[in-house]
Amino acid sequence: MKDQKAILIKCIKNDVPAFVIAGHDQFAVPTLKAYFETAKENGADDQFLKDMTLVVQEMIDFQEQEPEKVHIPKLKEFEIEQQHQEK
């Protein structure tokens, strides 16, 4: 499986936008499954799809093993304040 942390670091280093879905996000599994289906329908290669299957399974396993950590995401107070300051 691709090193997800390395991919994120490379994006940050090269100023490439990235979208992170954490295992504690209640919407992670359905989001990843939808991404997988989109990739499959649009011709992603088999190796990529196999890797994505592992990523999806890792999220499923985490959420099943640690349900107390799974929640609906929300902005933290300082993030809300930052948004107000940027306006």
Side-chain angles (χ1 to χ4, degrees):
M1 181 167 47
K2 285 185 180 182
D3 182 351
Q4 301 299 309
K5 184 177 177 181
I7 294 169
L8 179 59
I9 290 169
K10 186 175 180 179
C11 286
I12 292 168
K13 208 179 242 186
N14 293 309
D15 200 27
V16 174
F19 181 78
V20 176
I21 304 173
H24 57 74
D25 185 325
Q26 184 173 329
F27 310 125
V29 172
T31 300
L32 286 171
K33 285 181 176 181
Y35 178 83
F36 177 88
E37 287 304 316
T38 300
K40 185 176 175 181
E41 290 169 8
N42 288 281
D45 67 44
D46 287 340
Q47 281 304 112
F48 180 81
L49 295 174
K50 286 179 185 176
D51 192 62
M52 278 305 303
T53 299
L54 296 174
V55 172
V56 172
Q57 191 59 53
E58 182 178 34
M59 286 289 189
I60 291 169
D61 292 345
F62 174 81
Q63 291 191 354
E64 287 176 354
Q65 294 166 7
E66 312 238 17
E68 72 283 356
K69 293 182 179 177
V70 179
H71 59 272
I72 294 173
K74 64 180 183 176
L75 292 179
K76 292 181 175 50
E77 197 60 42
F78 77 90
E79 294 169 320
I80 295 169
E81 186 62 35
Q82 280 178 332
Q83 286 183 344
H84 288 3
Q85 291 175 359
E86 292 172 357
K87 289 183 180 180

